[in-house]
Amino acid sequence: MLANINVDLNQEQIKAYIDKKLDENIHQAFLFVDINRLEELTTFSRSFLENEILSDDRMKLIERRKSRKRVWLYQEALKVIQEISDEW
């Protein structure tokens, strides 16, 4: 006795689920991000980040600096970047 099983998959839901799981894993992996990591995560160029994101007062508030090295708490930075981009 054989059974036929049809499964309809919604590719958008699958993509959203995978993106969510990847984001969760990334959140667990990073505590701080620097400008190089922000370039990778956002796909924005360094100059765009400097001019449009990092110069914003909200990003300056969460910036941590040691000598010349600048870093931002990962989760806070993502929230602020999202706020800034929502205003465009």
Side-chain angles (χ1 to χ4, degrees):
M1 182 185 301
L2 295 175
N4 281 338
I5 299 174
N6 292 326
V7 178
D8 292 325
L9 300 175
N10 182 327
Q11 290 184 352
E12 290 300 316
Q13 287 178 333
I14 293 170
K15 183 183 180 311
Y17 176 79
I18 291 171
D19 287 344
K20 179 182 174 192
K21 289 299 180 183
L22 286 172
D23 283 344
E24 288 172 3
N25 287 332
I26 289 171
H27 282 119
Q28 294 172 0
F30 296 124
L31 178 58
F32 290 101
V33 289
D34 62 5
I35 191 164
N36 296 326
R37 182 67 63 191
L38 287 175
E39 280 182 283
E40 293 174 19
L41 293 171
T42 63
T43 69
F44 294 146
S45 69
R46 179 180 293 261
S47 61
F48 182 85
L49 284 169
E50 289 286 358
N51 296 331
E52 301 293 328
I53 306 291
L54 302 180
S55 63
D56 189 284
D57 290 336
R58 292 168 284 188
M59 282 298 283
K60 289 182 179 183
L61 281 174
I62 64 169
E63 181 180 294
R64 306 290 189 264
R65 193 179 280 261
K66 177 71 174 172
S67 300
R68 293 175 46 196
K69 181 72 172 178
R70 297 179 300 166
V71 295
W72 298 266
L73 288 169
Y74 175 73
Q75 291 181 349
E76 288 183 37
L78 287 186
K79 288 176 188 174
V80 172
I81 291 170
Q82 187 169 9
E83 287 175 14
I84 294 167
S85 66
D86 286 346
E87 296 172 359
W88 296 335

